[in-house]
Amino acid sequence: MVSSATSEALFSGQSVGVDVTQIERELALLWKNAARAEEGKEEKPNDGQQAVMRACVANLLIYVGSEKGTGSFDPEGVAGAPGESASLSDIITEIVARHPCRVLQISTHTRTGEPPIKAWISARCQLPQNGKRLCCEQINLSVLESAMAEVGGLVLPLLAPDIPVYFWWLTSDQPQGRYDRALDFSLPFYEELAESVDHVLFDSSCLSHPETTLVRLLYEMDRRGDALAFRDLNWARLTPWRQLTAQFFDSSEMQHFLSGLESVVIEGEPDHRPVSQQSLLFAAWIATRLGWKLAATQKSDTEWTIRLRGQQEAMIRIAGHGGSGGEVTAVQLNSTRGEQHAVFSVRRAEDAISAITSEQIGEAASRQRRVRMRYRTESRLMGDELEVAGRDVVYEESLAMVVRMLQ
Amino acid sequence: MNVTKDHLSSNPFREGLRLEKTPEPCAVVIFGATGDLTARKLMPALYNLFLERLLPTGFSVVAFARREKTVEQFRTEMREAVSAHSRTQPLQAGVWRAFAEGIFYHRSDFRETEGFVGLGQLLNRIDRERGTCGNRIYYLATPPDCYDDIITQLGLAGLVESPPRVQGQVPDSGPGGDDQTGWSRIIVEKPFGHDLATAHGLNEMLLSVFRENQVYRIDHYLGKETVQNILIFRFGNGIFEPVWNRRYVDHVQITAAENLGVEGRAGYFEPTGTLRDMVQNHLLQLLALVAMEPPASMEASAVRDERLKVFRSLHLPEPEEIAQCSVRGRYSEGSLAGLHVPGYREEPGVAPDSTTETFVAMRLRIDNWRWADVPFFLRSGKRLPKRVTEISIQFKRPPLLLFGEAGRTVEPNILTLRIQPDEGISLKFGAKLPGQSMRLRSVNMDFHYSTSFGVQPPEAYERLLLDCMLGDSTLFTRRDEVEAEWQFVDSVRLGWQDTSTVPLCEYQAGTWGPDESHALIARDARRWRRL
C-alpha cells in the first residue's frame, strides 16, 4: 500500500510496484497522501515543499512490445534526431509536460516463474511558473506474452473516463534501435482496445514490410471509419515540407503554375530501402492534391520514377541519397505555363535547423529565403499529434496512393 | 495580387494543413521605429512569425525614424532587442540573418515631403528586388501627435492604394490607380483620440487618405489568447449560453488591476488617466465580448457589429447620476510587496497638483433584453495589491435554499475568466463537506491554461500583425466602435467635471482602491471579489 513516505518517493520520480488488482486504489492513495501533505503545508508554509496538482487531459496508452533483458523495463532506442536516441522515459516526460496525461505503458516478457502481469505506478511531475508541482500518473504493466489476451480487460478500467484515448503503438527491435512489428493487427488485445481508443499513433518509417502492412492499415481505416483515427508520425514529419510547398501557391498569381506542373524531384535519405517511406508519402501527397492518376512506376536501386496523368502528363522522380534517417532533404517543382517556366524548391540547409526556399519565375532572379526547419523529436511530434482530433483524410488518400506506388 | 482565405482554400496543397495563415509578400513600414514599442514588441513578434514560417518570401520591414542611423546599425540594434525580448530563445543566428536581410532603415522627419518620396522609392526598390508586389502595412508606432503628419504625407506621396469604388461593393484591396498596385493598410496604436471629438477628428483624417477597411486600430488586449477564448468559451460550448442572461446572472465584475505605478510614463499618463487609458478600450472591449450576442458568423464585420451593439446599449449616465455609478481615485504613498512606494503626485514627471485619476470603479447598465437590470461592475487601477485581469460572472442563488443553516454558508456560483496572469477559467460551486452532518462548502473547479496546454502561446502582437497581413480585422476596433466607446467615456467625464459630487478619492498604494469603490458596489448589496 502506498504510504506517505512512498508517495513522496513517487512524486520525486520513482516507481513503486503495486498489486495489479489494486492499481486505482493505490493511485487514489497517492493523491490522498499528497492532499494531506498539502494541508500540513498550509500550517507551515515555508517548509520548502511545493504543493502538488493533478492534471490529466488525455489517456496515453503506449505499447512497447517485448522488454529487453530481464531487468526492470527501461526501453532505449526510440529514435530521436538522426544518429541520436532518447529513452522512452525522456520522451514521455516531454509529452506530459505539454499534454498532462494518464500514461499506461504496456510491455511484454517471456519470463516464466513470475506473475503473468506485474504493475508499477509512478508520478511524472514538473514545476510550472505558478509554483505548484503539476503531476500526472503513469502505470507500467509488464505482461507475460502468453497472457496478452488479458491486457484489454486490464487496461480498459484504468483509462481515465471521458477524455481522449491515444494509443501509441511502438514495438521492438528494429534495426538502428527502432521498433518492429508495428501495427500487428493480430495482437490479441487490439480488437478489444480499438473500441475504446480514439487515435492510434504509429511511425510508418519503422515498417519492415510496408507493402503488406499498409494494405492492412488501409483496410483498418476503412473499417473503423470516424470511430478511430490513425496518425502517422512519419507523415507529421512532412508537415513543414508541405507547408513550405503550399506557401508557394497561396497567391492567386502563382496558382496557375499548378496546372502547368510537369515534374517534381524529391531527394531523401534512404531508410531501410533506397527510397524512403517519407519520400513516397510526399510524392503521393503531391499527386493526390493535384488529382493525378498513377500511370507507371519505374524502380532502380537509387531512384524511382513515377509517371502520372493529370491535365497533362507529369513525372515525380524520387532519388535516395545522403544519410540513413529516411528524411526528405529537398523538393523541387517545375512548371511551365505558356512561355513562362517556374521552379519552386525547398532544400534543407546544412545547419540542419533551417531550410532554403527558392522560387524562380522566368528570367527573373530567383527569390530565396531561409526559414527555420528544426528536426522535430519524437516527443515534439507526439505533442503536436496530441493536439489534433479526428481522421486525416489527406493522409489517408496519400497513403492509398503510396500503396498503389508500392504495388 | 491578393491572398484572401478564399484563395488559400483554392490552393489544393492547403487542404488538411493545420496552419492556414500565410500572407502574401508585403512590406511593413514602422514609423517611429527607434522607439520602445518596436524593440520590445513589434520586432520580436515579426521575428517569431518569420521563425514559425508564417511570413512569406520577400517579407520586408522598413524602419522610418528621425534619428540618423545606418541600416547595419539598426539591424544590430534590432538583433539585440530581439535577443532580449523574444519569447523564443535563444535567437537562431541563421534565421535572424535571413530575416535581417529584409530590414531597411529610412531616416526622415515625419513632415518632410522628400522623406516620403524617398520612402516610396525605397518601397519600389524592395518590390522589385524582394517581390513585395506593392503590398504595404504602415504601422504608426509614434506618439499620436505625429499621426496627422504621417498620414497626410503618405497621401501626398501617393503611397496609399485607393481602388476605384464600385457601387455596392467595398473592395478590401486590389490594384490601385495609376501605376500603383497591391494593397495598403495602416495600423494605429491607441489612444484613438482623447475624447469623442478628437477620435472623430482622427478618424476623419485617417479616412481622408485610407478607407475604413484599410484601417486597423490595434488594442493588444484583443490579441491575447485568453481574450479570444471568451468567444470560444461562450459560443463553442452548449452549456453556458443558455444561462448567460438576466434570468440567471446576478451581476458581472471586470477587474484590470496593476501593481505598478506610472513607471516613467507620466508624460503619457498625466493627460490620459485610467478612464481613457484602460476603460475606454481594454475594459469596454472585454465587456463587449462578455455581453455581445452570438454573431452571425466569425467574419470580422459580424463580430464587430455585435460588439458595437453592446456599446450602443450602454446606458449613458446623466451628470447627476455619475456620483452614484462611478468612483475615481488616486493612489497615495503606501507599501507594496514589502517596499515603500511614493504617492502618484510624488512620481517623477507628475504635477504636484495633478488631478489625474489612477483608479476607476464603475457600475454600468446595458439596456437590452439580455442584460436589463444586470449590473456590470468595472474597476481598474494602478498600485493595487497585485497584477490581475479577470471577468467574473456571478450567478443568482437557487430560488429556494434547502439545507437550513448549512446552506447559507455556500456562496453563489461564480464563473471566472482569468485573463492574466495564471490564465484560465474556474467555476465556484457548493459541495458537501465529508461527514455525518450536512455541512457545505464552496469549491472551485479550475482550468489552467498552463497545466492543460504546456505550450507557450504566441504574443498578442504576433497574432494581430499576422491578422493584419491577412486582411482579417476581427480583432481590431472599428471606427464606430471607437466612437461609441468615447461617447460613453465622455458622458462619464462630463459628470466628473463637478469635483464636489465625484471627488478624486485617495487610496493607499497597495490597497484595492478607495473606500468609495467598496461603497459603490455595496449600494447594490454586492461586494468586490477578493482577488
Side-chain angles (χ1 to χ4, degrees), chain B residues 457-530:
Chain B
E459 286 280 333
Y461 275 97
E462 290 174 37
R463 169 68 194 255
L464 295 170
L465 282 164
L466 187 63
D467 277 2
C468 177
M469 290 179 214
L470 285 161
D472 183 347
S473 54
T474 311
L475 299 177
F476 295 84
T477 320
R478 203 167 57 190
R479 172 190 182 155
D480 45 11
E481 287 182 87
V482 171
E483 293 185 4
E485 287 169 339
W486 276 120
Q487 195 176 7
F488 172 78
V489 166
D490 279 3
S491 71
V492 176
R493 294 203 68 81
L494 185 68
W496 282 3
Q497 280 178 353
D498 184 355
T499 51
S500 62
T501 53
V502 190
L504 192 55
C505 311
E506 294 268 324
Y507 64 98
Q508 203 179 336
T511 66
W512 283 107
D515 293 342
E516 288 78 356
S517 155
H518 301 285
L520 169 93
I521 194 167
R523 281 198 289 275
D524 275 296
R526 278 108 177 177
R527 62 182 170 82
W528 292 111
R529 266 167 57 76
R530 203 169 51 230

Side-chain angles (χ1 to χ4, degrees), chain A residues 97-98 100 134 240 243-244 246-247 249-253 255 258 285 289 367 369-370 372 385 388 394, chain B residues 1 3 7-8 10-15 18-19 22 50-53 55 57 92 94 130 451 454-455:
Chain A
R98 235 174 114 181
L134 177 68
Q243 281 169 348
L244 290 171
Q247 274 183 17
F249 305 102
D250 275 343
S251 79
S252 51
E253 282 188 0
Q255 280 172 15
L258 287 171
W285 172 67
R289 289 310 90 210
R367 282 205 289 267
R369 67 175 169 147
R370 182 184 288 263
R372 181 170 70 162
E385 289 306 297
V388 201
V394 174
Chain B
M1 185 168 70
V3 172
H7 284 126
L8 291 180
S10 61
N11 176 357
F13 291 140
R14 279 282 162 203
E15 193 182 345
R18 290 165 219 165
L19 217 53
T22 314
F50 190 87
L51 192 67
E52 302 292 341
R53 299 188 298 273
L55 297 184
T57 312
Q92 287 198 10
R130 298 179 57 81
T451 56
V455 288

Side-chain angles (χ1 to χ4, degrees), chain B residues 191-467:
Chain B
F192 316 123
H194 199 66
D195 51 26
L196 178 58
T198 52
H200 184 75
L202 173 61
N203 283 329
E204 288 297 311
M205 189 242 299
L206 274 165
L207 298 180
S208 67
V209 177
F210 292 87
R211 281 171 287 114
E212 173 60 27
N213 53 12
Q214 293 174 294
V215 179
Y216 291 71
R217 297 173 190 82
I218 199 165
D219 179 346
H220 72 273
Y221 251 58
L222 289 180
K224 287 179 185 289
E225 289 278 323
T226 40
V227 174
Q228 293 169 49
N229 193 44
I230 296 171
L231 292 184
I232 307 295
F233 182 79
R234 287 191 58 197
F235 305 128
N237 295 293
I239 60 170
F240 301 111
E241 209 44 31
V243 295
W244 209 265
N245 55 50
R246 65 188 300 275
R247 189 167 172 195
Y248 297 100
V249 174
D250 178 77
H251 74 279
V252 177
Q253 293 184 22
I254 302 177
T255 300
E258 294 175 85
N259 52 4
L260 298 175
V262 283
E263 308 299 310
R265 294 172 64 233
Y268 162 74
F269 191 78
E270 258 289 89
T272 306
T274 298
L275 185 67
R276 291 186 179 111
D277 186 40
M278 294 296 291
V279 177
Q280 182 270 332
N281 36 69
H282 304 328
L283 267 72
L284 287 182
Q285 285 292 332
L286 291 181
L287 172 90
L289 293 173
V290 170
M292 66 190 258
E293 296 296 322
S297 70
M298 284 307 288
E299 290 293 313
S301 58
V303 175
R304 301 200 297 184
D305 284 349
E306 295 305 333
R307 293 201 305 245
L308 177 65
K309 282 186 203 167
V310 175
F311 299 135
R312 288 192 172 152
S313 303
L314 277 177
H315 171 72
L316 299 180
E318 297 296 330
E320 58 274 17
E321 293 177 282
I322 287 294
Q324 290 301 306
C325 66
S326 75
V327 170
R328 52 178 168 164
R330 178 180 59 223
Y331 65 84
S332 57
E333 64 179 317
S335 164
L336 243 170
L339 294 173
H340 178 82
V341 293
Y344 177 70
R345 284 176 161 180
E346 288 83 62
E347 297 270 18
V350 175
D353 58 349
S354 167
T355 56
T356 301
E357 80 283 353
T358 62
F359 177 93
V360 173
M362 307 182 79
R363 179 193 193 280
L364 274 65
R365 263 172 48 193
I366 298 176
D367 290 338
N368 64 20
W369 277 47
R370 184 187 283 256
W371 296 115
D373 299 329
V374 177
F376 282 70
F377 297 99
L378 271 56
R379 63 175 163 168
S380 179
K382 291 188 181 296
R383 286 281 188 233
L384 301 184
K386 60 164 100 161
R387 172 177 169 262
V388 57
T389 301
E390 68 152 52
I391 299 162
S392 74
I393 322 290
Q394 185 160 324
F395 291 89
K396 291 181 177 172
R397 287 180 181 276
L400 179 64
L401 280 175
L402 303 172
F403 316 118
E405 273 305 305
R408 292 184 212 288
T409 60
V410 176
E411 295 175 51
N413 298 123
I414 298 176
L415 181 74
T416 305
L417 310 171
R418 292 185 303 272
I419 307 298
Q420 63 181 14
D422 190 21
E423 295 83 351
I425 295 167
S426 70
L427 177 66
K428 181 183 276 191
F429 59 93
K432 182 183 175 300
L433 274 171
Q436 299 302 332
S437 59
M438 183 61 79
R439 289 181 302 157
L440 280 73
R441 190 202 253 183
S442 289
V443 293
N444 274 332
M445 189 158 65
D446 265 335
F447 154 69
H448 298 260
Y449 267 88
S450 59
T451 56
S452 293
F453 308 113
V455 288
Q456 201 180 22
E459 286 280 333
Y461 275 97
E462 290 174 37
R463 169 68 194 255
L464 295 170
L465 282 164
L466 187 63
D467 277 2

Side-chain angles (χ1 to χ4, degrees), chain A residues 25-162:
Chain A
R25 185 169 157 264
E26 298 291 350
L27 284 170
L29 266 175
L30 173 72
W31 294 109
K32 200 169 173 182
N33 288 338
R36 277 196 195 129
E38 169 75 348
E39 281 172 18
K41 196 188 131 229
E42 280 172 14
E43 289 159 20
K44 39 176 186 170
N46 296 319
D47 65 353
Q49 291 186 335
Q50 279 89 25
V52 175
M53 280 173 68
R54 181 187 200 176
C56 185
V57 298
N59 293 285
L60 178 60
L61 186 57
I62 308 173
Y63 176 64
V64 295
S66 63
E67 295 172 13
K68 288 180 174 176
T70 54
S72 63
F73 184 59
D74 184 18
E76 297 288 334
V78 176
E84 295 175 4
S85 66
S87 78
L88 183 58
S89 178
D90 293 340
I91 293 173
I92 295 171
T93 301
E94 287 182 45
I95 293 171
V96 299
R98 235 174 114 181
H99 301 280
C101 298
R102 172 178 273 200
V103 180
L104 290 105
Q105 183 178 309
I106 307 159
S107 59
T108 61
H109 69 86
T110 52
R111 300 182 297 277
T112 51
E114 287 184 16
I117 301 175
K118 292 199 292 184
W120 293 263
I121 59 170
S122 56
R124 289 185 174 272
C125 298
Q126 52 180 310
L127 192 59
Q129 287 177 337
N130 66 10
K132 284 190 174 181
R133 257 194 308 181
L134 177 68
C135 295
C136 311
E137 307 146 337
Q138 178 163 345
I139 303 163
N140 282 22
L141 299 170
S142 174
V143 185
L144 187 67
E145 274 198 356
S146 59
M148 281 301 284
E150 312 301 324
V151 166
L154 177 65
V155 164
L156 294 182
L158 294 175
L159 297 174
D162 212 23

Side-chain angles (χ1 to χ4, degrees), chain A residues 241-279:
Chain A
W241 291 91
R242 291 164 58 215
Q243 281 169 348
L244 290 171
T245 305
Q247 274 183 17
F248 289 129
F249 305 102
D250 275 343
S251 79
S252 51
E253 282 188 0
M254 291 296 175
Q255 280 172 15
H256 70 269
F257 282 113
L258 287 171
S259 56
L261 211 57
E262 51 200 7
S263 69
V264 179
V265 181
I266 301 165
E267 293 175 26
E269 302 163 339
D271 42 21
H272 48 282
R273 291 171 311 176
V275 168
S276 72
Q277 186 68 21
Q278 198 181 104
S279 300

